[in-house]
Amino acid sequence: MKVLLYFEGEKIMSISGIGRARKHQILACESAGIDYTLDPMDDYDILHINTYLFNSNAIINKARKEGKGIIYHAHSTEEDFRNSYIFSNQIAPLFKKYIVSLYSQADEIITPTPYSKKLLESYGIDLPITPISNGINLDRFQYDEEKIKAFRRYFSLKENDRVVLGVGMLFERKGILDFFEVARRLPEYKFIWFGTTPKVSLPKSILTAIDERPLNVIMPGYVKGAIIDGAYLDADCFFFPSYEETEGIVVLEALASKLQVIVRDIGAFDGWLDDKENCYKGKDVDDFVHIISSYIDGKLPDTSDRGYLTAKDRSIECVGEQLREVYCRVYEKSKQR
């Protein structure tokens, strides 16, 4: 049994969560001993398709004609398409119809959380849907003093600087406006947001907010390697006020780093992130200001050890075994056709 891990537009997706999902799927297949290829010209038995760009229909049709099993990895929903790119809200209903037409051609669907599974079912998709986390490479986020030094040097941090970390694309959906407002109310802390999005694709309101952000907000853009790894390991807390996710790989990265996680109370986190147990949840700016200041002042207990256990349950190795189960099931279905 050989699986094609198909990601169209690899360069475009590389800085997004789907780009990290690609790396994690490769590692998961290797950890579980699953034979895979990234080349659609190779011979394979199962198409595991992750993206929805221009060649999606063509490769699905080709796989179907050749009797391959087809798994669609539903990373995207109408809900998390909204409040992102310019005009995204206007075209969201069309986007929904498009992804439903693609997802519905599969034998089975994988999606990151039970929440996103419910959304897909609400679209009328009548296929087996299995929630499997995008997973996390725990090895990458082990304590590393050199990474911490690299991070602190890069931002010229002083010993008494307190750092609130955010990571994500520059979308309203990601809560970047609330991130700015919380920073404005807590000028004694440094707020660092890693991530970028092409300016031409962003609404004017977001571009203006970025230009007028508080002086204590640092935006280095897309940074990879030791700098961002060191940020996860050394920041005081991870603040992710996103309004909508299918999972949120950056949250898994923070949990794996044993960093205190503070998120918005949204459906994507139900069932695996529990307020005051392995994270803190807030609903609005007032909540976030209170939680962050109270935590940094030592008035709230640290939940990062429990958070790390949550990340372990979503390790690459666990994901590999879950993928194997779906692959084997779809492979058997394809042989029976």
Side-chain angles (χ1 to χ4, degrees), residues 131-187:
I132 299 178
S133 170
N134 286 305
I136 187 68
N137 180 8
L138 295 174
D139 292 340
R140 174 186 159 191
F141 298 98
Q142 296 302 305
Y143 182 84
D144 188 319
E145 190 171 344
E146 292 305 311
K147 289 182 177 180
I148 292 173
K149 288 179 180 177
F151 160 66
R152 298 192 69 83
R153 280 196 305 268
Y154 189 86
F155 292 102
S156 301
L157 294 173
K158 299 174 183 176
E159 186 174 348
N160 62 342
D161 284 336
R162 312 311 295 266
V163 176
V164 179
L165 175 65
V167 181
M169 300 185 83
L170 309 182
F171 295 153
E172 181 180 349
R173 170 177 68 82
K174 292 289 185 181
I176 192 167
L177 299 180
D178 285 352
F179 190 88
F180 291 162
E181 182 57 29
V182 171
R184 190 172 283 112
R185 296 196 196 180
L186 296 172

Side-chain angles (χ1 to χ4, degrees), residues 22 115 189 312 333:
R22 177 182 184 274
Y115 168 75
Y189 307 142
K312 282 185 70 175
K333 284 182 181 178

Side-chain angles (χ1 to χ4, degrees), residues 235-246:
D236 290 276
C237 60
F238 178 77
F239 173 37
F240 191 60
S242 178
Y243 284 85
E244 184 68 34
E245 296 290 323
T246 52

Side-chain angles (χ1 to χ4, degrees), residues 108-146:
E108 295 200 18
I109 295 173
I110 294 173
T111 196
T113 55
Y115 168 75
S116 53
K117 175 182 178 179
K118 288 179 182 178
L119 288 180
L120 297 177
E121 290 172 339
S122 75
Y123 296 170
I125 295 176
D126 186 21
L127 288 172
I129 304 174
T130 303
I132 299 178
S133 170
N134 286 305
I136 187 68
N137 180 8
L138 295 174
D139 292 340
R140 174 186 159 191
F141 298 98
Q142 296 302 305
Y143 182 84
D144 188 319
E145 190 171 344
E146 292 305 311

Side-chain angles (χ1 to χ4, degrees), residues 170-299:
L170 309 182
F171 295 153
E172 181 180 349
R173 170 177 68 82
K174 292 289 185 181
I176 192 167
L177 299 180
D178 285 352
F179 190 88
F180 291 162
E181 182 57 29
V182 171
R184 190 172 283 112
R185 296 196 196 180
L186 296 172
E188 64 272 33
Y189 307 142
K190 291 186 183 296
F191 285 69
I192 303 177
W193 182 287
F194 286 91
T196 190
T197 304
K199 287 187 176 181
V200 294
S201 67
L202 292 175
K204 185 178 179 181
S205 58
I206 297 298
L207 295 174
T208 300
I210 291 170
D211 289 341
E212 297 177 355
R213 68 186 184 272
L215 295 177
N216 61 328
V217 175
I218 303 168
M219 301 185 73
Y222 178 71
V223 180
K224 60 182 179 180
I227 305 300
I228 191 169
D229 289 356
Y232 276 121
L233 294 169
D234 191 58
D236 290 276
C237 60
F238 178 77
F239 173 37
F240 191 60
S242 178
Y243 284 85
E244 184 68 34
E245 296 290 323
T246 52
E247 181 176 41
I249 291 180
V250 294
V251 175
L252 291 174
E253 292 174 346
L255 294 171
S257 305
K258 297 187 178 179
L259 178 58
Q260 179 60 56
V261 167
I262 299 164
V263 297
R264 192 181 301 277
D265 189 1
I266 58 175
F269 303 141
D270 288 349
W272 62 284
L273 290 182
D274 298 313
D275 186 33
K276 301 180 182 65
E277 294 294 329
N278 56 4
C279 72
Y280 286 103
K281 293 183 177 181
K283 296 184 182 298
D284 54 30
V285 167
D286 289 339
D287 282 354
F288 294 136
V289 169
H290 170 72
I291 293 167
I292 291 170
S293 59
S294 297
Y295 174 74
I296 292 179
D297 288 346
K299 297 175 183 176

